[in-house]
Every structure is written in structure tokens, then in C-alpha cells.
Amino acid sequence: MHGEPIDILQIEKTFGDKSVVSDVSLSVKAGEFLSLLGPSGSGKTTLLMMIAGFEFPNAGQICVGSRDITYLAPNRRAVGMVFQKYALFPHMTVAQNVAFPLRMRSVTTKDINRRVSEMIDLVQLTGFEGRYPQQLSGGQQQRVAVARALIAEPPVLLMDEPLSALDKKLRETMQIEIKRIQNRLGVTVVYVTHDQEEALTMSDRIAVMSEGRLVQVGSPFDLYQRPATSFVAEFVGKMNFLNGEYVEAELGKCRVRISEHATLSSDLVADGESEQYRLGGRVRVAIRPEDITITRRFEFGHTTDNVLRGTVEAVIFLGQAHIILVQIEGQGEAPVQVLVPSSIGHATFVQGETVDLVIAPSAVRLFPRGVGSVQ
Amino acid sequence: MTVTSTIAAPPINAINNRARASYARGYSKTLSLMLIAPLVLLMGFGFLYPVGKLLIGSLFAPEFGLEQFRRLIRSPLYLTVLLRTFEIAFAVTIASLFIGYPIAFAMAKLPRRWAALTTVCVLIPLWTSTLVRSYAWIVLLQRKGVVNELLLNLGWITQPLRLIYTEGAVIMAMTHVLLPYMILPIFAAVHAIPKELGQAARNLGAGGTSAFWRIMLPLSLPGVFAGCLMTFILALGFYVTPALVGGPRTMLMATLIGQQTTETLDWAFAGALSTVLLAATLTFVIAFRKTLSLNRGFAGVA
């Protein structure tokens, strides 16, 4: 089985006079695992439904391989799908469910039996062929849904939040399982999720959607390290936001005043990008929790560049690390989260302690504080 | 400080939930008894006692024995009526199923506005008195009724057709009256089938028709069985419509029993007839349920 590329061209979709997907163009490479990531109502499921053929776009084109499938009936698309609640047929056994797509394609009974048992073997459900879906656990139902979607060897597999009904532990097992099956079969996967952690773990590339538009498409690493907008910065991974005032730019560095005592400089501002900020303008400053170095404060008074002063509000134990919540002086914002590996964190900092947060210019991202930014 | 309280919150919630769950598990025995008491009393005094008295009465007239039942078997008239009752009930059930299933399916699948309109069309007759609806059929079907007038005026017939007081008229009118009892359970069953199952079938390669035959129809069968059973049982004991539309030559069990109690005042024989009808109905229901429960697939769905 070989995956085929998907080309989505300038798709528009409105329900009534409400625009749900606007001007989305996206290419998925053959065999790629692409996640559509976004909050609910961002249009990601609608986009998936249009690829599956349950909704039709008002404008634009969807191609799989070299075939234009934009207005094709869902049963003629050769696009497999795993539904959010699996949508297994309750009146059929596991084997009958998995065999369904082959029966629809008039495959001989002998071939059906062989392929069903191969597929059931691949998803590790041997011995469960005669069970009905309601006699299976959530994870097993999930495996049946995947097997059923893949048995007719579609070049493209769509998955609509397939793991959202499972508990965390099982979800992690299934993430690995789905990747294993995908690697084995080489099928192109479009995976809809609102869980950024899941998207980061599983995807070759992630397409972030917000309010019906594509905000950024890139590898998990790209999205995490170089978020294009403050929406992506906030949605993907943990991010601290501070309010700042743009002060100056010199030698490729931008300087932002956080409070009377503290300024931060950033060297993450791309060429030309700095022009959108004017002196004295308000900006949003974004810093990852793991990019902050926290130290106990020894001396008072003098202002240092790239150091924020604050007070420890709480220490949260996560297992492999601690999150330390620090209220920054002169900022009314929510406390800043600092990630500290467990071995040091616990003993060193206590609630109420005054601390310095040291932040390298390479970890400071700036975003305009304009319309549409997440508050 | 706010942060500390959020961290402490989850365990407290969990404890609260557990406590609430055990409260919700059940009412106390006394409360449960009090809640069902009115229904039990009504069943006892309003149904079991009088019906039981009627049934037992059939065994003691003139003295203890099966005399009334022998009389029933001796005369071919009564057996014919019993048989006809089952035939007509069966015909009405089948007719309701074929007319009702598409309507129920449409109600569940149409866009909301059209579905609402269809639902109103189904329910309004249900809210109208059976008597009124039966008279409406007389207006339509009688010798000088709307249908005959129309056909005569169109010149399609020269003599008025005999439409009323026929078995066909009874079946048609009863189907009309009982149709909602077929439609509503099927509608409920179709409505309860998740939309994704239909989509999944299409996605897996099924055309619209085979998605219906292989997925929607099998999954709506519990509703079909409930509807058929309800319609059949109601049709077996139906009184008003066959009495008005049917006339003497299409007499059914209910009409016969009515005659025995109100006209000939032969309560013992009415009791015997009722016993037979009740026994036949119960046998039918039990056999029906037994067949269904033997079928594993449907047991799983229902």
C-alpha cells in the first residue's frame, strides 16, 4: 500500500452566512502524518469532513493523487476514516465490521477471510473476531475502527480526534500504536486534534487552524521554536506572556521594557519584522517555561538587563520536574511559570521567596498586541 | 494564593462526587413503594379485579364448567370472527409498517424544519378523537360520499362503488388511526442511530442504498418490532373504528364482546370471548419476544 498526496486549494466553506473555513490551501505529502490542530470551532473538523465527502466546499478544490475528489460521493473517494466515537456497527461482530469495506467491493469470501485475519493480526486483536463492539474496551474498539478503515487499503486515512474518548495512559499507548501501523503501511494520515501534545508527539507536520484559517504549517519543532503568531505560541506547548513596551532596536536586538526595573532584549525578531513595532508601542512578550533560569536573589536595587524580579507564589510537583509560579514585580499579569528539573527544584525554592529570573535574548519572542491576539 | 487553592481542589471534588453518587444510586424502599402505590392500586382495582371477575364469571355460568367455551367452539361464527380479527390486525400492521417506515425515516433524517412539519402531521391525528376520525372515513367512503361523488363526476364509474362496510374500509381506517403507534417507535429507533454510522458506511464504500439495507434498517429493527407489536395488539382489541366503518359483515372480536355485554347482556359469554382474545394476544406477544431474544444480533442492539 502506498500513500498518496493530498492537495487542498483555496477551500471556502460557509454554513448559512457564517464562514467556517476560509481560504485554506494545504499540501500533504504522500505517506506524511499531518495533524490539523486547533481549538473547537476552528474549522478543522469541517475541513476533514470535506476531504471525506460529508460536506462540500463553496469554492476550492481537493485532490488526492491526481484525482479531483472535491464533489465525489463519499463511497467513491478511497479515503479511509476513523471517527471520534469509532462508529463501529453494533449489530456486527469485530470480523464483520472489519470485513464490511471488502464486502462493499465484491471481494471473494476467501480473500476477505485472509485479509481480515491479517488486518486483525496487525492491530493485535486476534481472538476477538467473534465479539460485538459493545463487548470491547475503548482501546480495542479503537483498534477495530483503525483496522476497518485501513482494510480496503485507502491511500489516505483521516482521523477525527480518535483518541479523545480514551484515558491518558491508553491514549499514549494508542499514539504509538497508530504511528506503528502508519509506518508499516505508508498511508497518508490527516489527523484532527485539539490536543497540542498529541499533535507534537505524532505528527511529521502540524497545520494550526484558528477561526477557519490556517495560521501556521510546520514541523512540530518549527511550531514550538518559531511560532508565527501569539495564537500559535499560546496554543502549542506552555508559554508565558508578559506585557511590554517596545523601547529600542540596536544591532539586530530589540529591547522591551517589562517594568520600571526590568527590560528584556530579544534577538528572535526577524529582519523587517521589527518595522511593525513602533517606539513606545505595546507588545506581548512570550517566553517558554523551560527557557527561564531561576536563582535566589542576593542583592537588591540595581537593574540588570534580561533579569526579572519576582516572588515565588507556589511550587507544583510534576514528577520529572517542578513548575514554580513567580509573580513578576510591576506586572499585573498571571504569574510566570518556570520549569525546573525535580532534583533541584523542590528543596531550593519556597513560597514567598524573592527570586531573579534570567532570560536569554534567544528565548524572548515578541508579538504585536493587536486585534485578534489572545488575551 | 489562588494557585494553592486550585491545587487543593480536585481531591475535594472527587470526594463530593463519590458521596453524591451513592445518594443517587436509589431511593429508599419506603419512598419507592409510595411512588408506585397509586399505579399499583389503580391496576388492582381498575383492571385486575373487574377483568378477573369477568374471566372467572365465564367459568361459573350456568354452573362451574367450560360450557361457555364449548358454545364458542361449537358455533363457526365465533371462530370466524376470531380468525378475521387476527387477519385484519395483521393486515393493518403490515400496511402501517409499509406506510409508516418511510415517514418515520423521513422524520428522523429531514432537515429540522421539514421534520417538525412531518411530526405535526403525524401527531395531530393522534390528538384527535378516534370517533371523529372514524366518522371522517364514513364521510369519505359512504355511498354518496366524497370519493364516490368524485369518481362519478369524473365519469370513471356509473354506479356508486360499495366502499364502506367492507373489510378494505376497516383496514384502511384502522391503519389511519393506528399509524402513529407504528411511526413513533420507529422514529425513536432511527433517531437514536448515531449519524456517524451512516457516514462510516458511506466512507467504507457503501452506496446510499446498501448503507440503508445493511446499517440503517437492521439498527432500526427494534423500533420496527416495537411498532408492529403495539399496532397489532391495539388492532386486535380495536372497537370504535370497525364498529362504525365495518358494519355487521365485518364484525371483529371487540365488537362481538361489546354486543354481548351491552345488547344481549350475556356477561358470561363475553367473559369467555375476552378470555380467548386475551390468551391469543398473550401467546402472540410471548412468541414474538421469544423469537427476538433468540436472535443474538438484535439482543445486542436492543
Side-chain angles (χ1 to χ4, degrees), chain A residues 150-225:
Chain A
L150 287 174
I151 195 161
E153 308 190 343
V156 168
L157 179 65
L158 309 176
M159 304 184 96
D160 184 12
E161 310 212 10
L163 303 181
S164 59
L166 304 178
D167 59 59
K168 193 169 171 11
K169 204 86 185 167
L170 193 53
R171 204 155 60 216
E172 283 163 6
T173 319
M174 285 308 297
Q175 287 173 1
I176 297 167
E177 188 75 343
I178 289 171
K179 282 298 280 184
R180 179 182 70 87
I181 295 168
Q182 191 235 348
N183 285 335
R184 178 87 173 271
L185 301 177
V187 60
T188 310
V189 175
V190 178
Y191 189 100
V192 162
T193 182
H194 64 262
D195 181 344
Q196 48 92 17
E197 225 172 291
E198 193 168 284
L200 288 176
T201 317
M202 301 180 77
S203 319
D204 298 322
R205 282 195 305 153
I206 300 173
V208 182
M209 290 190 74
S210 167
E211 290 167 351
R213 291 176 181 281
L214 270 188
V215 185
Q216 189 176 5
V217 186
S219 70
F221 187 81
D222 264 352
L223 254 59
Y224 193 83
Q225 294 299 343

Side-chain angles (χ1 to χ4, degrees), chain A residues 108-352:
Chain A
T108 62
T109 314
K110 205 179 125 214
D111 275 359
I112 289 180
N113 291 339
R114 181 180 53 80
R115 284 168 68 176
V116 166
S117 74
E118 274 173 20
M119 193 42 96
I120 285 181
D121 192 45
L122 179 67
V123 298
Q124 300 174 344
L125 275 179
T126 314
F128 290 91
E129 292 88 344
R131 301 266 191 108
Y132 284 91
Q134 60 272 24
Q135 298 169 314
L136 301 177
S137 71
Q140 290 166 336
Q141 292 187 21
Q142 172 71 62
R143 287 159 195 270
V144 179
V146 171
R148 187 180 67 172
L150 287 174
I151 195 161
E153 308 190 343
V156 168
L157 179 65
L158 309 176
M159 304 184 96
D160 184 12
E161 310 212 10
L163 303 181
S164 59
L166 304 178
D167 59 59
K168 193 169 171 11
K169 204 86 185 167
L170 193 53
R171 204 155 60 216
E172 283 163 6
T173 319
M174 285 308 297
Q175 287 173 1
I176 297 167
E177 188 75 343
I178 289 171
K179 282 298 280 184
R180 179 182 70 87
I181 295 168
Q182 191 235 348
N183 285 335
R184 178 87 173 271
L185 301 177
V187 60
T188 310
V189 175
V190 178
Y191 189 100
V192 162
T193 182
H194 64 262
D195 181 344
Q196 48 92 17
E197 225 172 291
E198 193 168 284
L200 288 176
T201 317
M202 301 180 77
S203 319
D204 298 322
R205 282 195 305 153
I206 300 173
V208 182
M209 290 190 74
S210 167
E211 290 167 351
R213 291 176 181 281
L214 270 188
V215 185
Q216 189 176 5
V217 186
S219 70
F221 187 81
D222 264 352
L223 254 59
Y224 193 83
Q225 294 299 343
R226 287 181 285 277
T229 68
S230 65
F231 174 81
V232 178
E234 179 155 7
F235 200 71
V236 178
K238 276 213 164 74
M239 188 65 97
N240 293 302
F241 283 100
L242 293 170
N243 288 325
E245 186 188 323
Y246 191 78
V247 187
E248 59 178 331
E250 52 175 54
L251 300 165
K253 282 192 182 183
C254 300
R255 194 188 291 278
V256 175
R257 179 181 291 136
I258 300 298
S259 66
E260 282 178 48
H261 315 284
T263 57
L264 289 177
S265 55
S266 165
D267 56 10
L268 282 182
V269 179
D271 289 342
E273 200 183 315
S274 59
E275 273 138 43
Q276 60 186 308
Y277 309 112
R278 50 185 179 76
L279 283 183
R282 313 270 293 153
V283 289
R284 274 159 72 80
V285 180
I287 309 148
R288 295 275 180 212
E290 68 271 24
D291 290 340
I292 302 173
T293 313
I294 183 168
T295 58
R296 191 177 278 130
R297 181 162 340 139
F298 294 109
E299 55 197 281
F300 284 28
H302 81 271
T303 308
T304 331
D305 200 18
N306 278 22
V307 174
L308 300 178
R309 309 195 314 187
T311 314
V312 174
E313 273 213 345
V315 178
I316 302 167
F317 182 54
L318 295 181
Q320 78 275 36
H322 282 85
I323 289 277
I324 300 171
L325 299 179
V326 179
Q327 185 64 54
I328 303 296
E329 281 173 24
Q331 279 271 329
E333 296 282 288
V336 165
Q337 302 189 8
V338 183
L339 191 79
V340 182
S342 281
S343 46
I344 322 166
H346 182 64
T348 329
F349 299 99
V350 291
Q351 195 181 329

